[in-house]
Structures are given as structure tokens and as C-alpha cells.
Amino acid sequence: MRNDVLDIAKRRGFFWQAFEIYGGLGGFYDYGPLGTALKENIIAAWRKHFVIKEGLAEIDSPNLTPREVFEASGHLDEFADFLTKCTRCGAVFRVDELTGATPGDVESARTMLREGGAKCSECGGELSDPVEFNLMFRTYAGAGMEREVYLRPETAQGIFVNFLNYYRYFREKLPFGVAQVGKGFRNEISPRKGLLRQREFNMAEIEVFLDPDEKVWGDFRDVEDEVLTLLTRGGEEHTLTAREALERGIVCAEPLLYFMARTKRFLVDLGIDEEKIRFRQHPEEELAHYSSDCWDCEVRISYGWIEVVGIADRTAFDLSRHMEHSGVDLRAFRRYSAPVKRKVRKIVPNMKTLGPMFRNRAAEVAAALERADPSSVDPSGRIAVKVENELIVVPPEGFTVEEMEEEVTGERIVPHVIEPSFGIDRILYALMEHAYYTRPDSGYRVLRFRPSIAPIKAAVLPLMAKDGLDNVAMEIHTLLRNAGIRCYYDDSGSIGRRYARADEIGVPFAVTVDYQTLEDGTVTVRERDSTEQVRVRKEELPAILKGLVEETLCFGDVKGV
RNA sequence: GCGGGUGUAGUCUAGUGGUAGGACAGGGGCUUCCCAAGCCUCUAGCCCGGGUUCGAAUCCCGGCACCCGCACCA
């Protein structure tokens, strides 16, 4: 079955190994005409399900990202490393942790490891030769190559670093969500399994920013009846509704569960087999460095259960780290429902005396005084403040301590992030496997794409390429294309062969011009899976096909003449 | 990255040192032909690079790619 799908993928133009004429390059694929169209249709469906329905802001940030971003995100520390493995127990270690120094290349890593005489700290076994483990592609920006940049391993950072822009865009109110469709790059050690593990891949990510004390998103009632199969960290398997999962505390964060249910609905809507979808919670040790809880949506295909969507609670990790590293305040303001009044003692600088006393540093001293704690005024009435690492003692006449009433309207908080991250290529491949079947009578191959997802919507076929049937069919072909329907004309070989060719790439409808067309202007429309036909007037064809393709009209409801 | 396997037209495959063959797919034709019918015809291939040999798809070495397992998978 897998081979049939891969055969169709290559032969008919869905996808194939890239750079083949130069021997190929592992982990890189081309999408051909049909694959590109299919991918676009999947993304369009994703937009409908998430961007539009959830009211997200879709954005587009660069693939190349400066080093600093990944220093902050932790990707550099965690993944640009030399690793060694215990040959006895299989435990994995970082060379820099074992030797206390960071090696520059594999050779020096090996030397350091051997000279240090390091052994496995778990079982004392011998360690393997180190392996370079840098999953990010590095390059340089600028003529002088002065900026080190990396191809992003996820699109998420492009959203986090712009948090303030999106916060402003959403008029400074939580919660809000930002989405991005784009490419991610990971220099996988061994890319495998075709589209499933590429070095350059398509992803669609959502970052939802929430108040940590009020982690809710969407209307849970919309999804509460959705039945989910859940594999918990503890090894239990449950099949229950989202409501039950929430009430029994199987998934702790409500928005996580909400997006899990929405994800399932999206996949089923695409044509993924509902019976072959499950959610698996990451065990502690599998969690990424940034997430506190994560559920993978897995789909069963010929390769087994594969992850197609990851739904993670990234907590305040990313924003906190970018705050530390950039020095920019990335907090949101949580407004209290009513302002809180409170009495405070404050130091008020007296500029009249501070000015002559400190001259050009007076402003800094005043600022330091305002930040200082009134209780640190010493018994003699003086206070010491730090200005540019210098301790300055300000005499009593330089300030007053005043008691005043202050109105506090809110506080600053670091939002938490819920991240549903979709692997578009994996979804596309899984969809192809799930859509594939062979006709029981003939064994002919069919892709059962629903009309809105199918890359090509209609085939226009003259029964015979003569007697003027071909001309009429070509006219209809033009008519349909002008109506915005993606279709093709085919007159080669027998009519049966042409139906089979169309079925193999999942064309849902075939329009056939026959001898009766010449008499009364009607054509037949054939539905792919049932192979049933209905005869309609050719003038009505664009409207009927548009309805069928947009799924506002069912094939069974098409009125024949 | 390690171990095992595999690379022959678009796809599947025959060919174990001596002229690369087939099937399917594809193109052109014939046949009033609605589910890959038949017939004629054409296109198209030894993964790449070295070596051994008079001669390599075949043997050897290296590389690349794919598959399976391990490891890795933010």
C-alpha cells in the first residue's frame, strides 16, 4: 500500500526526492503540481479551521534568524553540541558537560574526551566517539559575514520576538493568538521515511498568549462532545469525550484540551480516518526544554503511529527568556477590575539641593532615589544609593520621605503560551495513505480526496476524440476554467482508461461529452467513488461543479435532466 | 552516526564478466468506445566516481540515495 502511494506520488506528480539528477540529497523533497495543490488546499482548510474560526492573526517572519534569538530560546545550548553515548548502557552525554570545556570540532571533542578519561557516569562503561549534534543550519548575513544567522528550526520564535507588536495589534488584551505557516529547517542526522522526516519542512504553528491565572481559550462547549483517544504519560489509554477528560483531570490545561479536540476535528474534516487518530502525552524526559506539558496528535499509517501535530504548554518560558536576553519588557498588563488604592511611603528627590550637589549626575541620582526603599534610610537621615555601580550617599536635605496614597490599576505579567504545531508534510502524506483504496472489482487505484481538498476538481473527457466531441469538450474545459475550477482535458486512450487515470489522482468529478451532447447539449458528470453518473445541461455545468467542489452541493442532490 | 539490506526506463522487474530484455505507465495512430479492451508504432534505463579486465549492470574500493533496526527527533 505504501509503495502504491509512493508510486503514484512520483509518477503522477505529488512529490519526489529532490535533486535527483545530482544523486539526490537526503531529507529534501520536491512537491510536484498535484502535491503543491494538495498542500495549498490543506493549508486553506487549516486557515478556515484555525486562523479564521479562532480569530488568530496570521503573520510571516523570516526563515533566517540571528544567533541571539536562539541563544535566548535555548536552541543553541540544547542542540549545537557534541554528544557521546555509553557503549554499555546507552546513556547519552554532552561532551562539554563531561570535560568542562566546549570543543570546537569533532576531533578536539574526541581528544578532550579521551584525554579526560571520561567514563559513563551511570554505569562506568566506555563512551563512544563523539558525534556532532547541531540540528540548526548556520550561515552568515552581510558582505563581511559579521552576523551569524541560523535557519529556524521552528517558526515560533518569529512570533515571540514580536510579542509587543502583536500585543499592540490586539489592543493590549489577553488572550490572543498568532499563527504562522512556513518552513522549518532541521539538519537531521538521518532523515527517513520520505516526507515524514525532512530537513526542510512545512509547518503551521499557533502561539496563543494567555494570562497565566486564567488559562482559557475558546468556548469549551464547542468541543466538549468530541471523543478523543488519550494515552497518558502514566501509560493509561482512555477513549472519552473532551468534557470527561477535563473533568477527570486527564488533561490539565483546558486550552490544551480545547486545541486537541479542534485538531481532531480538523484532521477528520481533511479526510484522515477518525479511527486512526490518538493523542499521546509526552513523558517527562521527552518534553522539550521549553514545555511543561505536551500532547502529540498521532495518526496511524503504514509506518506506525506518527506525530502530525504537537500541542504544547510552553508556559512563560520563551517570553521570559527573550526578556532576559534582550532586556526588553515583554510583559502584558493585567488590569484589575477596579483600581486598588494603597498607602505607600516613597522617596521624593529634592532637585533644588541635588542639582548643585551632583551636577550632571543629579538626574541619575534622583532616579536611583525614586527606586530606593524608604526603609533603607539610615538613623542619621542619610541614604546610600547605587548609581552606575558606585555607592553614593545622599544627605537628608536631598530628599523627603512622603506617605501618599497610590492608585494601582493593574500589574505586569508574563503571558503563558499554548502552542499547537502542525506538520503539514506529515498530514499530507497521512491523508494520501488514508485516501488510498483499490476498487474491489477491478483493483484499480483511487485516492478518495474530498472535493474541497482534491488537487484537481474535474476531468473533461470527450467519449471519442472525433466527430466534434473533442471540440465541445474543449469548449467546456475553457468554460470551467473561466469559472475558476481547476480541471483538465484528456482525450487519449479509451474512456475507461481516462476515468482510471483521474481516479488515481483523486479527481472527484469527470465530465463526459458523448454523442447525445451533440443532439441535446447535455453532458454526464461522473462521481469518482460511486462511479455514478448524472446527465446535466452543459450551461448549468459551471454552477453545479462549483457547488460540488465547494461542497455546498452533494452529488446525490444534483438534479439530472 | 552505527549495523544490515538495496540501487537496471516514470514505475515494477529480467539479466552473475561478452549486443541491456520485458511488463505497466507515457506519446502518435486505427477501431461510434462510458469505466486502465484490442492492434500498430514511438519515446525512455544500468545511482555517481575510481579500480581490476581485452571487455564491467555484473567483481573490488569510495561516495550518494533509499529501506529496516538502533540512536536522535526542540
Side-chain angles (χ1 to χ4, degrees):
Chain A
M1 196 270 287
R2 183 196 302 168
N3 287 339
D4 292 335
V5 172
L6 292 175
D7 172 30
I8 293 171
K10 178 159 194 196
R11 206 164 36 76
R12 302 302 309 275
F14 283 91
F15 60 84
W16 54 76
Q17 175 78 42
F19 311 115
E20 248 185 355
I21 66 165
Y22 288 106
L25 180 61
F28 295 89
Y29 277 79
D30 282 308
Y31 278 115
L34 297 179
T36 303
L38 180 59
K39 174 163 75 80
E40 287 310 312
N41 292 344
I42 289 170
I43 291 170
W46 183 82
R47 286 204 173 94
K48 210 179 284 179
H49 272 261
F50 294 99
V51 176
I52 295 174
K53 206 162 167 190
E54 299 294 337
L56 309 175
E58 185 178 351
I59 60 101
D60 191 8
S61 63
N63 284 326
L64 284 169
T65 306
R67 178 188 177 90
E68 294 82 345
V69 172
F70 297 121
E71 282 173 359
S73 71
H75 287 96
L76 265 176
D77 278 353
E78 299 288 324
F79 298 105
D81 270 312
F82 297 94
L83 297 186
T84 180
K85 194 177 72 169
C86 172
T87 52
R88 196 192 303 169
C89 73
V92 175
F93 302 97
R94 281 164 57 177
V95 174
D96 59 338
E97 283 182 351
L98 291 173
T99 61
T102 305
D105 55 55
V106 186
E107 264 322 300
S108 64
R110 175 163 49 211
T111 311
M112 284 163 59
L113 200 62
R114 293 295 167 241
E115 285 175 357
K119 292 273 190 290
C120 175
S121 63
E122 299 289 316
C123 71
E126 287 297 321
L127 294 172
S128 69
D129 276 341
V131 173
E132 186 171 14
F133 190 71
N134 186 344
L135 259 62
M136 288 196 293
F137 292 97
R138 180 173 52 187
T139 184
Y140 300 89
M145 316 249 285
E146 58 276 3
R147 274 310 271 286
E148 196 175 320
V149 297
Y150 292 83
L151 281 168
R152 61 185 182 190
E154 57 173 11
T155 67
Q157 297 305 327
I159 295 175
F160 298 136
V161 298
N162 288 303
F163 171 75
L164 290 178
N165 301 46
Y166 304 129
Y167 182 52
R168 199 179 311 125
Y169 174 83
F170 281 101
R171 296 177 37 221
E172 308 193 350
K173 283 191 196 93
L174 294 179
F176 65 85
V178 181
Q180 177 161 214
V181 178
K183 292 216 164 179
F185 306 82
R186 297 179 190 180
N187 198 4
E188 297 285 355
I189 294 169
S190 67
R192 284 283 172 80
K193 299 179 178 173
L195 287 188
L196 303 187
R197 223 167 127 203
Q198 298 179 74
R199 290 186 166 130
E200 171 174 344
F201 53 97
N202 294 284
M203 57 207 297
E205 294 194 301
I206 298 169
E207 312 297 332
V208 167
F209 296 91
L210 303 168
D211 185 323
D213 287 349
E214 209 187 329
K215 284 173 100 161
V216 288
W217 177 269
D219 186 345
F220 197 78
R221 287 170 302 182
D222 275 356
V223 300
E224 63 184 1
D225 295 328
E226 201 73 54
V227 176
L228 305 173
T229 297
L230 304 171
L231 262 76
T232 68
R233 185 176 290 165
E236 307 149 44
E237 180 170 338
H238 305 274
T239 297
L240 32 66
T241 65
R243 169 64 63 194
E244 289 165 333
L246 185 69
E247 281 166 1
R248 291 169 55 179
I250 291 164
V251 180
C252 298
E254 186 188 300
L256 226 47
L257 190 53
Y258 176 83
F259 276 109
M260 285 159 68
R262 295 299 316 277
T263 293
K264 184 191 172 190
R265 197 174 290 177
F266 163 65
L267 293 175
V268 170
D269 208 41
L270 279 184
I272 297 286
D273 186 346
E274 184 169 6
E275 303 296 310
K276 295 177 179 166
I277 298 175
R278 72 177 190 192
F279 291 85
R280 190 178 63 86
Q281 186 180 28
H282 279 200
E284 301 280 354
E285 65 273 15
E286 197 180 315
L287 284 174
H289 63 276
Y290 53 67
S291 80
S292 72
D293 193 10
C294 183
W295 289 79
D296 279 348
C297 177
E298 298 182 326
V299 171
R300 186 161 175 79
I301 58 171
S302 64
Y303 292 99
W305 287 99
I306 59 141
E307 175 200 349
V308 296
V309 184
I311 304 168
D313 187 344
R314 295 180 76 132
T315 66
F317 181 86
D318 300 278
L319 289 178
S320 301
R321 294 281 297 235
H322 284 300
M323 273 171 73
E324 283 169 35
H325 284 252
S326 67
V328 175
D329 187 351
L330 299 178
R331 290 177 298 176
F333 189 69
R334 180 199 283 151
R335 207 167 292 277
Y336 297 145
S337 51
V340 176
K341 287 196 174 127
R342 61 178 182 202
K343 281 196 178 138
V344 288
R345 287 175 75 225
K346 267 191 151 173
I347 294 178
V348 178
N350 181 359
M351 293 314 288
K352 250 182 214 159
T353 48
L354 290 179
M357 204 178 288
F358 295 103
R359 299 181 179 270
N360 60 346
R361 300 176 71 190
E364 287 172 47
V365 173
L369 282 170
E370 281 177 334
R371 284 195 302 268
D373 183 353
S375 62
S376 61
V377 176
D378 69 23
S380 64
R382 287 178 297 192
I383 185 167
V385 293
K386 223 177 198 177
V387 177
E388 284 178 358
N389 285 324
E390 190 188 335
L391 218 53
I392 289 180
V393 177
V394 184
E397 59 270 29
F399 62 93
T400 53
V401 175
E402 289 174 19
E403 194 144 305
M404 53 179 78
E405 195 162 73
E406 198 180 57
E407 209 177 64
V408 183
T409 56
E411 65 190 305
R412 300 211 158 264
I413 51 160
V414 183
H416 276 210
V417 172
I418 298 288
E419 175 193 76
S421 173
F422 297 72
I424 298 296
D425 312 283
R426 292 178 170 192
I427 291 172
L428 181 144
Y429 180 74
L431 179 59
M432 284 185 71
E433 276 204 6
H434 286 195
Y436 177 81
Y437 70 97
T438 51
R439 295 202 190 277
D441 47 346
S442 57
Y444 300 145
R445 314 197 286 195
V446 186
L447 284 171
R448 191 199 291 108
F449 294 131
R450 56 186 293 180
S452 60
I453 297 296
I456 292 184
K457 312 301 187 186
V460 183
L461 321 167
L463 189 62
M464 299 281 290
K466 60 181 192 179
D467 300 330
L469 298 181
D470 46 354
N471 292 331
V472 177
M474 282 189 261
E475 280 166 31
I476 290 173
H477 179 223
T478 303
L479 198 66
L480 293 181
R481 280 190 297 174
N482 288 343
I485 294 162
R486 202 189 289 241
C487 57
Y488 65 79
Y489 169 89
D490 183 4
D491 67 10
S492 91
S494 72
I495 187 70
R497 170 175 301 219
R498 285 177 263 151
Y499 287 141
R501 257 202 294 250
D503 292 345
E504 191 183 55
I505 58 169
V507 178
F509 305 107
V511 175
T512 305
V513 172
D514 58 13
Y515 286 96
Q516 195 179 327
T517 309
L518 301 179
E519 289 161 23
D520 63 7
T522 62
V523 295
T524 62
V525 178
R526 167 193 183 264
E527 194 278 328
R528 177 194 61 217
D529 297 303
S530 62
T531 74
E532 276 169 18
Q533 289 181 307
V534 58
R535 189 170 280 277
V536 304
R537 281 209 300 280
K538 71 179 180 194
E539 308 79 65
E540 293 175 33
L541 205 50
I544 290 171
L545 275 179
K546 249 186 135 63
L548 288 170
V549 166
E550 286 161 11
E551 300 182 18
T552 51
L553 175 66
C554 246
F555 184 77
D557 294 335
V558 176
K559 289 200 299 283
V561 292

